[in-house]
Amino acid sequence: MIQAKGIAAFSAKEPLGPYSFTRRDPKDHDVVIDIKYCGICHSDIHTVRSEWGEAAYPVVPGHEIAGIVRAVGPKVTKYKVGQHVGVGCMVDSCQECAHCEQDLENYCLKGFTGTYNAMERDGSAPTQGGYSNVIVVREEFVLNIPEALPLDKAAPLLCAGITLYSPLRHWKAGPGKKVAIMGLGGLGHMGVKIARAMGADVTVLSHSDRKKEDALRMGAHHFVSTHDGSAFEKYAGQFDLIINTVSADLNMGDYFGLLKLDGSLVVVGLPENPLSISPFPLVMMRRSYAGSLIGGIMETQEMLDFCAKHNIAPEIEIVPPTQVNEAYTRVIKSDVRYRFVIDMSKIA
Ligand SMILES: [Zn+2]
Ligand SMILES: [Zn+2]
């Protein structure tokens, strides 16, 4: 077995702390990765605090993993020692259902294997995530990180990046399309940069003017503050696509009204409470309300290559492993511009 050092949650209430555990020795198709950086995603916090159901402690969170190949199993063909690689939210899937066959492992009909707080498909061990110094993953779920992307900034692309890239692609953001991004946080700021690079006309919808300069600097063409409600009249019927990255409870009816005929509002953030929505504004203009969950492996690779080609990277703040608990407190207060990344090389 391979000795691993990590940062784990031991219960819903305690702070995270150091944890020693083991990773499997590489099988034929496994890649052993020295983790250099891991992003902090809000999902990590929801999971370790059992807000999405009781977690299986101890949990080593982290699914925005960037590192360097340490070793490969004898039958690995795609990766070699020293290569820059990443791992996102999935480490396995059934590989044979109708969705996996279409490269949509994220919608595997038997459920994909999460990078942490899940069980390996053979039941041998719980999966443990990227707040650690090493991980072993089958090669089909390893991504190549192009040399043009620095490893620290590449990390958040593995969840935040693909979470926005996939719906922008699916709903065809591009020239001639008006796209609005709700919320300028870890997810939203990636949406702005990617939608802009795809050629869409990009608007940020935000509850205050606080992030206006940042939004425009990141590539948004327009910034609309929704705080006094007048924007909902002024911009009614303007957008082809709105992506909601905000987890707060909002009156979605107001936002449906901003869509054109046949426009879609896509949710990628998960509010804690169910939404109550009126179908009237949907019915009136044949609008759609939809959801989207990360992306498949092939599309995730496409996103990494796209970001490298267009020089797109998240804006990050690097923290040492000893400051994960403080970082969590700040994520909850939205006090981060725009994503925390843990420097895993500093793990004690
Ligand atoms: Zn995530
Ligand atoms: Zn499947």
Side-chain angles (χ1 to χ4, degrees):
M1 300 295 262
I2 296 170
Q3 284 302 314
K5 292 182 285 189
I7 303 287
F10 300 94
S11 78
K13 303 279 178 215
E14 288 166 88
L16 280 68
Y19 177 55
S20 291
F21 61 108
T22 55
R23 303 285 194 184
R24 68 174 179 267
D25 287 320
K27 295 186 279 188
D28 282 355
H29 291 280
D30 281 341
V31 179
V32 183
I33 302 164
D34 282 322
I35 299 174
K36 298 299 176 189
Y37 296 97
C38 185
I40 294 179
C41 175
H42 213 136
S43 308
D44 302 346
I45 303 176
H46 285 302
T47 301
V48 302
R49 296 189 175 174
S50 288
E51 291 165 356
W52 286 344
E54 184 65 20
Y57 301 102
V59 176
V60 178
H63 58 205
E64 294 184 337
I65 299 166
I68 297 175
V69 177
R70 178 199 291 188
V72 294
K75 294 191 176 154
V76 168
T77 55
K78 282 170 69 186
Y79 297 101
K80 55 182 194 300
V81 172
Q83 192 169 344
H84 287 191
V85 292
V87 178
C89 305
M90 307 180 279
V91 289
D92 208 350
S93 75
C94 84
Q95 298 282 287
E96 59 187 25
C97 73
H99 294 176
C100 284
E101 292 207 330
Q102 294 172 73
D103 298 302
L104 296 170
E105 302 88 352
N106 49 324
Y107 302 117
C108 173
L109 289 165
K110 293 176 185 162
F112 67 76
T113 304
T115 301
Y116 59 81
N117 195 40
M119 190 55 80
E120 294 287 357
R121 293 189 105 73
D122 61 6
S124 58
T127 60
Q128 299 289 12
Y131 296 8
S132 58
N133 66 327
V134 60
I135 192 168
V136 181
V137 179
R138 61 183 289 182
E139 66 176 321
E140 294 90 337
F141 287 80
V142 177
L143 287 306
N144 175 53
I145 296 181
E147 294 286 333
L149 289 171
L151 275 182
D152 53 356
K153 292 190 173 190
L157 296 175
L158 278 309
C159 174
I162 188 61
T163 294
L164 274 291
Y165 183 87
S166 184
L168 287 165
R169 279 275 278 153
H170 184 78
W171 277 274
K172 302 188 166 56
K177 292 289 178 76
K178 288 197 164 195
V179 174
I181 306 289
M182 291 169 60
L184 194 72
L187 295 172
H189 93 294
M190 288 314 307
V192 169
K193 293 181 181 212
I194 293 169
R196 171 76 190 233
M198 287 175 172
D201 183 85
V202 183
T203 300
V204 169
L205 302 173
S206 187
H207 60 279
S208 81
D209 269 332
R210 222 159 33 96
K211 292 179 176 169
K212 182 173 181 177
E213 271 180 40
D214 281 6
L216 299 177
R217 175 175 54 77
M218 288 171 191
H221 298 89
H222 319 278
F223 183 93
V224 174
S225 168
T226 54
H227 76 279
D228 69 357
S230 64
F232 296 111
E233 260 177 58
K234 191 172 168 195
Y235 297 93
Q238 295 270 314
F239 299 102
D240 298 283
L241 172 64
I242 301 175
I243 299 188
N244 180 11
T245 72
V246 179
S247 298
D249 294 330
L250 297 168
N251 180 359
M252 295 316 298
D254 287 344
Y255 292 88
F256 296 149
L258 298 176
L259 292 168
K260 288 180 185 172
L261 176 71
D262 289 330
S264 299
L265 194 153
V266 181
V267 57
V268 296
L270 289 172
E272 272 167 53
N273 303 311
L275 293 172
S276 141
I277 59 167
S278 161
F280 273 93
L282 296 177
V283 170
M284 298 311 284
M285 287 288 163
R286 201 164 58 187
R287 294 160 172 146
S288 302
Y289 186 41
S292 178
L293 178 72
I294 51 174
I297 293 295
M298 182 188 272
E299 193 174 51
T300 305
Q301 188 63 59
E302 179 188 300
M303 176 275 307
L304 289 167
D305 297 342
F306 179 91
C307 289
K309 181 177 167 202
H310 293 274
N311 239 321
I312 294 173
E315 309 207 351
I316 61 170
E317 184 175 333
I318 295 181
V319 290
T322 48
Q323 278 173 28
V324 167
N325 293 300
E326 290 83 350
Y328 274 21
T329 305
R330 287 182 51 198
V331 168
I332 288 163
K333 287 193 293 190
S334 298
D335 174 25
V336 52
R337 294 201 175 180
Y338 279 85
R339 199 73 158 175
F340 281 116
V341 171
I342 311 167
D343 181 351
M344 294 314 318
S345 69
K346 295 217 167 67
I347 196 159

